[in-house]
Structure formats: structure tokens, C-alpha cells
Amino acid sequence: MTDAIFAGLPELEPGSVWLVGAGPGDPGLLTLHAANALRQADVIVHDALVNGDCLKLAKPGAALEFAGKRGGKPSPKQRDISLRLVELARAGNRVLRLKGGDPFVFGRGGEEALTLVEHGIPFRIVPGITAGIGGLAYAGIPVTHREVNHAVTFLTGHDSSGVVPDRINWEGIAKGSPVIVMYMAMKHIGQIAANLIAGGRSPEEPVAFVCNAATPEQVVLETTLSRAEADVAASGLEPPAIVVVGEVVRLRAALDWLGALDGRVPAADPFANRVLRDRA
């Protein structure tokens, strides 16, 4: 059965690199291409956010190299990681660069791929389920709902220098995007919330923090823009977290399917007769 599943899938050739997304946490969210890469790779260079259970699918004898970058903690430099992939490929290895979520969604996959191009290393991109979609789904929060929003904005809460990006048009996003999904935003949520409120967002706008999404350690905090900073501080929660702002957060009262498995009773009307803004 296993051979039949992988029949016809591409081979990870010696001297090449595959940049692969592992999804937000649950190993069951690995794609078939990702599992195929794990069973072939000689060396797996993995991020901090890759669930260790995913690595159990590696072939016997595969070398595992940790190359995780975590905000505020000692981490390898991005250029060094990229050049390490080149070095491993030039040594004739089948190299798997395994990244949490999707390599091209706030995952530095583009930077690593450009380095491979610069040095003439063959590569393949394997998309993964990004945490801003899959992680929220595990919290029972859809990023779109046709009675709530016809647009969604994905953004990062800090730039390469570790501060809130000043190139983001916060007023434009506050006024134009019904749902905002933020990566790496927990540390700066106070400033981000203030920016959105100053841009016209309601202080009572629903907000959810999904920490350790799609893992057994997942925790969800529901709050509002005005209370977000204080509630996060009081909760003691820490990154990694996905943050979502918008009316879709209210749907969690009905769609928290993991909570339902533990006995939580879903709400029949999560909007409680509220007037929704984006009907069509």
C-alpha cells in the first residue's frame, strides 16, 4: 500500500534541495509530496516550528539538522542557513529543507530559494498549509465566511529588525480588510491594536490568539482589540501564535470542533442577531 501511495511521485535527486512546508503542526496535515520528501532525504534541515512527530517519517539514517529561528532567542543567521543548504547539496546529499506552515508565507523560503539559484543548485518548492489558515481552522475560526467578509489580509507583526513594520498602511488595512490574520504579532500586539484602532477599527472588534496551533498544546484566547494587550499579559501565553481580528472570531462559538469533541456545546447562532457588514 505504501509503495502504491508514492508511485509516480518525483524523486529527490542527489545534489538537490526541496523546500517543503510541513503545515501548522498536526503531522496529518503533511502533504503527500512532503511525506515523499521525508522518506527520501539524506539530510533534513528543519525549523523550530516543525512538529517532531513529522520527523519520525524520515528514512532510517537520515541526518537531522536544526535551523530554527525564534524571535528574541539565539538563532542562526538566515544567510548561514541558506549557504548550509548549498553546502549540503554540493556534497551530493538529497536535502530537505522542512519549514513550518508554508515556505513562501512568512517563511523565508523565497530567500533560501534565491540563494540556491545564485549557486546553481536544483530545487523544488512543496507548498504546505499555512498556520494562518490551517491553524485557525483547528481553532474553529474560518478566515472567510460569505456573510462576514469577502477579503482577508495576511501580515507579519514584525519586520527583519524585530519591530512593527512601518511600511504597512495600518489605516488602509483597518478600514479596508474585514479580517486581518497576523503572524509573529503577539509581542507587539499593544502597538498593533493601537494602530488599528487609530485607523478606525472598533475597540470592541473580536480578536483571537491561537497558540501552538494544530498541536495537542493548542490554546485559544478570545478578546477584543482594546483588551488584547492586557489579556495576553494576564494569560501568560507565549508565541508561537496566530492572531486574527474580525467578526469571523465569533464563529468559533459554533465551529470549535475540537472543543465539541471534549463536550463543548456549539452555539446555534454565534452572531446573536448582529448586523453583518459584508453581505452579497
Side-chain angles (χ1 to χ4, degrees), residues 12 14 68 73 78 85 93 105-106 120 146 161 170 193 200 257 268 270:
L12 175 50
K73 298 180 180 180
Q78 182 58 57
L85 299 177
N93 293 293
V105 182
F106 303 117
R146 68 182 188 140
S161 63
W170 293 103
W257 57 277

Side-chain angles (χ1 to χ4, degrees), residues 104-145:
F104 276 9
V105 182
F106 303 117
R108 300 186 176 94
E111 298 172 49
E112 294 174 0
L114 286 172
T115 300
L116 298 175
V117 171
E118 176 187 350
H119 292 273
I121 304 298
F123 68 96
R124 183 184 185 97
I125 305 298
V126 178
I129 299 174
T130 184
I133 297 175
L136 293 184
Y138 267 56
I141 302 172
V143 292
T144 67
H145 186 283

Side-chain angles (χ1 to χ4, degrees), residues 45 65-67 69 75-88 97 111-112 115:
V45 182
E65 291 195 9
F66 177 79
K69 294 184 70 65
S75 303
K77 296 184 181 300
Q78 182 58 57
R79 184 63 176 172
D80 292 339
I81 296 173
S82 299
L83 291 176
R84 178 59 175 161
L85 299 177
V86 172
E87 178 184 22
L88 290 169
R97 175 63 167 125
E111 298 172 49
E112 294 174 0
T115 300

Side-chain angles (χ1 to χ4, degrees), residues 12-236:
L12 175 50
E13 299 289 347
S16 64
V17 178
W18 284 11
L19 301 171
V20 177
D26 186 343
L29 298 180
L30 286 167
T31 65
L32 197 54
H33 276 312
N36 183 42
L38 281 161
R39 68 193 288 267
Q40 296 185 70
D42 300 314
V43 183
I44 301 170
V45 182
H46 63 93
D47 276 354
L49 296 181
V50 172
N51 189 328
D53 287 340
C54 296
L55 300 175
K56 294 177 181 178
L57 298 177
K59 73 177 183 181
L64 304 179
E65 291 195 9
F66 177 79
K69 294 184 70 65
R70 297 295 297 274
K73 298 180 180 180
S75 303
K77 296 184 181 300
Q78 182 58 57
R79 184 63 176 172
D80 292 339
I81 296 173
S82 299
L83 291 176
R84 178 59 175 161
L85 299 177
V86 172
E87 178 184 22
L88 290 169
R90 284 182 170 169
N93 293 293
R94 300 172 178 86
V95 183
L96 166 56
R97 175 63 167 125
L98 192 62
K99 306 175 77 69
D102 181 282
F104 276 9
V105 182
F106 303 117
R108 300 186 176 94
E111 298 172 49
E112 294 174 0
L114 286 172
T115 300
L116 298 175
V117 171
E118 176 187 350
H119 292 273
I121 304 298
F123 68 96
R124 183 184 185 97
I125 305 298
V126 178
I129 299 174
T130 184
I133 297 175
L136 293 184
Y138 267 56
I141 302 172
V143 292
T144 67
H145 186 283
R146 68 182 188 140
E147 292 188 349
V148 177
N149 65 308
H150 292 96
V152 58
T153 296
F154 295 89
L155 60 86
T156 177
H158 69 75
D159 61 19
S160 58
S161 63
V163 299
V164 176
D166 57 11
R167 289 183 291 178
I168 291 178
N169 183 346
W170 293 103
E171 182 179 0
I173 290 173
K175 293 180 177 178
S177 185
V179 173
I180 307 166
V181 178
M182 298 181 281
Y183 296 69
M184 298 167 285
M186 182 178 254
K187 179 180 178 181
H188 301 299
I189 192 60
Q191 181 179 344
I192 291 170
N195 289 347
L196 293 173
I197 292 171
R201 211 68 173 210
S202 169
E204 297 308 307
E205 184 92 16
V207 178
F209 295 80
V210 184
C211 300
N212 297 305
T215 72
E217 291 75 39
Q218 175 177 295
V219 178
V220 181
L221 171 66
E222 295 182 59
T223 180
T224 65
L225 271 180
S226 63
R227 299 198 307 268
E229 183 177 22
D231 285 352
V232 166
S235 72

Side-chain angles (χ1 to χ4, degrees), residues 233-274:
S235 72
L237 295 176
E238 295 183 351
I242 287 289
V243 186
V244 56
V245 178
E247 291 293 318
V248 290
V249 172
R250 300 187 192 278
L251 284 161
R252 185 168 186 267
L255 303 182
D256 178 17
W257 57 277
L258 282 173
L261 292 175
D262 290 333
R264 179 175 178 178
V265 178
D269 181 10
F271 293 117
N273 299 317
R274 290 176 62 88

